[in-house]
Amino acid sequence: MPAALRFTLPTVVDNDAGWGPASLPEDLAAVPYAPYSKSDRLGKIADWTAPALGDGYGDRRYGNNDGDNSNRRRRFGPGQEAFGAGLSSLFAYTVAAEDEASFSVVDRTAAVQKKPGGGFKSQRGGRGGARGGATVGGWQAGGGRTGGPGGGPQQAMRGGHDRRGQHPGGQRRRYGGYNDKPARIRDASVQAGPEWKVVEELDFPRMNKLYFQVEEAEDISGHGDFNFIDKSLDRINTKQERPLQASDRHYINVTASDDPVLLNHAKTSSAEGLTVYATDNVLATLMCATRSVYSWDIIVTKHDNKLFLDKRDGGVFDFVSVNENAADPPLEATEKETINTPQALAQEATTLNRNFARQILNDRERVSLPNPNPFEDGSSALPATAYRYRQWNLGSDVTLVARTQIDAALHAPGSNSTSATGLMKLKNAPCPPADTLFVNVRALNEFDSRAPGAGGAPEWRQKLDSQRGAIMATEIKNNGNKLSRWVTEAMLAGADQLRVGFVSRASPKDRNRHVILGSTTFKPRDLASQMNFNIGNGWGILKMFVDLCASTLEDGKYILVKDPNKALLRLYSVPEDTFEDRAENAAAE
């Protein structure tokens, strides 16, 4: 007798906590679902019209590793989306038709009755007649062209958008906005070689949080001679402009490692710890690095607890930028525009700065410092400039020695100044030392207010006398980095005033002829406060970089480069002979 078949009851899992399965099968663990919360109003619990899991939707993402993608494409066509993707809207609550019909809004506001169109003004079409009314042949009964959503053929000709840029779907689309501008790609001040190695990257957000309070500087020596300011230039205005005269002087900007005074100090100094040698323009660029946009580079040389921060001849430090921080800075060279490019404007601004600093001086009042000009060799006539060598204690056995520059002196009775005392006492001074102020002279320039890259600056000849504050505010916005560097250089030199001139082209299309429209005077700290520039942050950046060099770098040659398109600095390790060929070629020329 054959054995009787057994009947085995299947395992039934009882879910005491509620209805549905108590556990989730492994083959369904990765299947997406539409999440919901208890506050949602569900219209559907399940959608039975979607294909089942076994009808070709399974792939390796959901536990089916057969890899039969060809069958799936054959049954459902190319590009079939995965199960559950985009199905959340199927479970959304939908208002029933009868509920919608029974709902009404009571509007108690008084309706404003529009006047019927007519007359010559309504036939021409106006802004008021562009809304409402029946549309006939692309014109409204009110007399204006259709301009609102659903405005007939005129809107269709514009691709479905109204005159305010409103998309038919309800989303506003921007035209010509800031985010629509193509990203401007700039070149680096120096191209990195294949043998260069990145040592450190310093980003601006972290640098903006640094702060260091330095002690008062100590004078080492004073060199050179300079003149007092000609006060007759204070009477210059837009009605009595004065032509800018070209200077026949030979201007030099010697780097720290070629300065005989700094080199002598490095040989004879017995200070313990690290000693940093630099010039005021290199220090100002590093201290204002977070405001810079254009690329620049600093050569760093470390040897036997001596750290030199140098510039390259013919580099960024030898020129003055124009509208670097403007929202629309000057454009690169084009076929029609060659005199308003960044490079051409920088050369023009550098030349007129030198000419203005020379023209503002009184040749009959010339004074000298205790030591002669260290760069005077008799081969060429140098401009009258005073060099003030100073040192700062940066803490942690770090000393900073820098060459700063004073452009002029000013007779100010009753000022009780202490600048022209001690090692900076003047020879043959026409006034007492207490009435003598040290001044740095700079010039802002206007090239063409209608040209691209002007930064929205107003016409100086029309607004300078009556709205000088507005013009200065525009310059602070467009040239924030340049002005910050000028303020830092004045503070490093211990200058009492910063004289800023306003120089404009005689003709917008002529970059060779300029006129002086006026000048103004600032105390360096007051101008820094107007610009929201914190000199303590600049000292913090310098302190951070010097500490990095002291603790991380070995003896050798490095270069610090501002990234041309990102807000960061990169420190490279370079071979010892880097830039040597360029220096030899420049010396030969």
Side-chain angles (χ1 to χ4, degrees), residues 61-78:
R61 289 179 295 178
Y62 306 134
N64 186 0
N65 298 325
D66 57 1
D68 189 9
N69 293 327
S70 61
N71 294 333
R72 177 174 63 87
R73 287 193 295 265
R74 219 171 18 247
R75 281 183 293 231
F76 301 104

Side-chain angles (χ1 to χ4, degrees), residues 143-372:
R145 276 192 184 273
T146 55
Q154 297 299 326
Q155 181 181 349
M157 292 174 61
R158 292 189 294 267
H161 297 271
D162 67 354
R163 67 179 61 185
R164 295 168 297 173
Q166 186 72 24
H167 194 272
Q171 297 181 353
R172 181 178 294 272
R173 183 176 177 182
R174 303 180 61 197
Y175 293 98
Y178 178 79
N179 295 331
D180 297 334
K181 299 177 183 177
R184 185 174 298 184
I185 305 300
R186 298 183 176 90
D187 296 331
S189 60
V190 59
Q191 297 298 327
E195 66 278 4
W196 293 16
K197 298 180 181 179
V198 178
V199 178
E200 190 70 30
E201 288 188 350
L202 310 173
D203 59 283
F204 287 2
R206 288 188 298 170
M207 295 169 61
N208 279 323
K209 301 177 182 179
L210 301 175
Y211 180 84
F212 182 72
Q213 186 174 1
V214 71
E215 299 178 357
E216 192 67 25
E218 177 185 352
D219 288 332
I220 298 177
S221 61
H223 299 255
D225 48 14
F226 58 114
N227 298 70
F228 276 74
I229 289 180
D230 187 1
K231 293 186 177 181
S232 64
L233 272 77
D234 294 339
R235 297 190 292 268
I236 296 178
N237 52 39
T238 56
K239 301 295 188 299
Q240 299 176 352
E241 60 186 33
R242 184 174 299 184
L244 183 66
Q245 301 175 1
S247 175
D248 57 351
R249 301 290 179 173
H250 178 66
Y251 291 86
I252 58 174
N253 187 10
V254 181
T255 187
S257 60
D258 295 334
D259 190 311
V261 178
L262 295 180
L263 290 177
N264 182 64
H265 187 279
K267 293 178 181 178
T268 59
S269 176
S270 59
E272 297 180 358
L274 182 69
T275 304
V276 184
Y277 296 94
T279 57
D280 53 355
N281 56 356
V282 172
L283 292 176
T285 301
L286 180 57
M287 296 170 69
C288 304
T290 56
R291 292 177 176 242
S292 61
V293 177
Y294 296 154
S295 179
W296 47 265
D297 56 272
I298 298 175
I299 300 175
V300 182
T301 307
K302 184 179 181 183
H303 181 69
D304 293 339
N305 289 333
K306 300 293 188 296
L307 188 70
F308 281 87
L309 305 180
D310 293 315
K311 71 173 188 66
R312 291 185 299 107
D313 290 336
V316 179
F317 295 97
D318 294 333
F319 299 96
V320 179
S321 63
V322 177
N323 287 2
E324 177 180 355
N325 301 96
D328 290 320
L331 301 175
E332 296 295 334
T334 59
E335 296 180 358
K336 298 182 179 180
E337 191 70 41
T338 58
I339 65 173
N340 294 329
T341 63
Q343 295 79 10
L345 291 174
Q347 295 177 358
E348 179 183 355
T350 303
T351 302
L352 64 88
N353 261 273
R354 295 171 177 174
N355 295 338
F356 177 77
R358 177 70 182 87
Q359 187 171 346
I360 201 174
L361 302 179
N362 187 352
D363 294 333
R364 295 186 299 271
E365 295 182 349
R366 190 182 185 96
V367 293
S368 302
L369 290 174
N371 301 293

Side-chain angles (χ1 to χ4, degrees), residues 404-435:
T404 62
Q405 181 173 320
I406 300 293
D407 298 321
L410 178 66
H411 183 204
S415 57
N416 296 325
S417 174
T418 59
S419 298
T421 58
L423 297 176
M424 298 298 294
K425 187 176 181 179
L426 303 178
K427 298 179 180 179
N428 304 323
C431 58
D435 298 339

Side-chain angles (χ1 to χ4, degrees), residues 440 442 485-498 524:
N440 274 12
R442 301 291 186 269
R485 290 171 55 184
W486 290 352
V487 169
T488 305
E489 291 173 3
M491 290 184 178
L492 292 174
D496 301 293
Q497 289 185 0
L498 177 63

